Amino acid sequence: MAYMFVVIAASVLATACGSPVAAPIYSAAPAYSPAPAYSSAPAYPAAASYAAPSYSAPSYKPAYKPAYGQESYEAPAPYNFEYSVNDPHSYDVKSQQEYADGNGYVKGSYSLVEPDGSTRTVEYTADDYNGFNAVVKKEGGYAAPAYSAPAYKSPSYSAPAYKSPSYSAPAYSAPAYAAPAYAAPAYSAPAYKSPSSYAAPAYKSPSYSAPSYAAPAYKSPSYAAPAYKAPSYSAPAYSAPAYSAPAY
């Protein structure tokens, strides 16, 4: 490998310098040793055969098996009992007594003191023909307080008296106009001796009449409804388009 590298480097150097180089002489290929011989794979023993275990279904047996037989019925026996409780601290006061003849007839009674202080007594009988019958009695106790509903009085409402305002037209009196007092001037003729042919002028006092006053006339305004003029609408002028036949 190193020899080939030297030869190639010398060829490149000779080419760079421009001198001819003879073709390299290669040595014979090296002789390689043959591949090693490997031994055959070891023989392993075959795996042992394994048989799956066989399971047998368990047999279940009930632990208890009731034995049904004919039940025996006995006729009821007669009895008679009674008891009573009297505890004033807990207000538990009661008693009962009952009798049965063994043939289906039962008779008894019980009593107890209820919270309102009354005593409730129940007398009962029972047989196969009439069934159960009871009579309930209640004695004593506290009387329930009488309750009367409160009387409700609806409020009285009087409509307010409305007095329409009285309107009187204002009194209008024409102003009183007094004519001015005019006294005619006193004229005394001058002490002048008039010629005999002169006559004194006749003087007439002016006449004056009082002015007449007329109350102003009030004229209510006249209202004319506005004149409504309907809009005039003129149809648009439509002119047909002029069509000229094409010249062929």
Side-chain angles (χ1 to χ4, degrees):
M1 186 66 182
Y3 173 76
M4 293 178 64
F5 178 76
V6 172
V7 172
I8 293 172
S11 300
V12 173
L13 183 61
T15 303
C17 295
S19 58
V21 178
I25 300 174
Y26 297 101
S27 60
Y32 297 99
S33 59
Y38 296 99
S39 60
S40 59
Y44 295 98
S49 60
Y50 177 77
S54 58
Y55 295 97
S56 59
S59 58
Y60 296 98
K61 185 177 181 181
Y64 170 74
K65 183 178 181 181
Y68 298 99
Q70 185 68 27
E71 296 183 1
S72 61
Y73 295 95
E74 297 181 357
Y79 63 87
N80 186 8
F81 77 91
E82 64 179 8
Y83 75 92
S84 63
V85 177
N86 189 357
D87 188 0
H89 298 286
S90 62
Y91 302 100
D92 187 10
V93 179
K94 57 189 175 182
S95 63
Q96 182 180 4
Q97 65 88 21
E98 186 174 294
Y99 162 77
D101 62 355
N103 296 320
Y105 177 77
V106 178
K107 180 179 181 180
S109 66
Y110 69 89
S111 65
L112 72 157
V113 177
E114 294 187 319
D116 62 351
S118 63
T119 301
R120 181 176 61 178
T121 303
V122 180
E123 298 178 354
Y124 59 90
T125 59
D127 54 37
D128 297 336
Y129 181 76
N130 297 314
F132 180 82
N133 295 280
V135 177
V136 181
K137 299 178 181 178
K138 187 172 182 178
E139 300 175 349
Y142 306 105
Y147 175 77
S148 59
Y152 177 75
K153 185 179 180 181
S154 59
S156 59
Y157 176 76
S158 58
Y162 178 77
K163 186 178 181 182
S164 60
S166 60
Y167 177 78
S168 59
Y172 178 78
S173 60
Y177 179 79
Y182 179 79
Y187 179 77
S188 60
Y192 177 76
K193 188 175 179 181
S194 61
S196 58
S197 60
Y198 177 79
Y203 180 79
K204 186 177 179 182
S205 60
S207 62
Y208 179 80
S209 60
S212 60
Y213 178 80
Y218 176 76
K219 186 178 180 182
S220 59
S222 60
Y223 175 77
Y228 176 75
K229 186 178 181 181
S232 61
Y233 175 76
S234 60
Y238 175 76
S239 59
Y243 175 77
S244 59
Y248 294 99

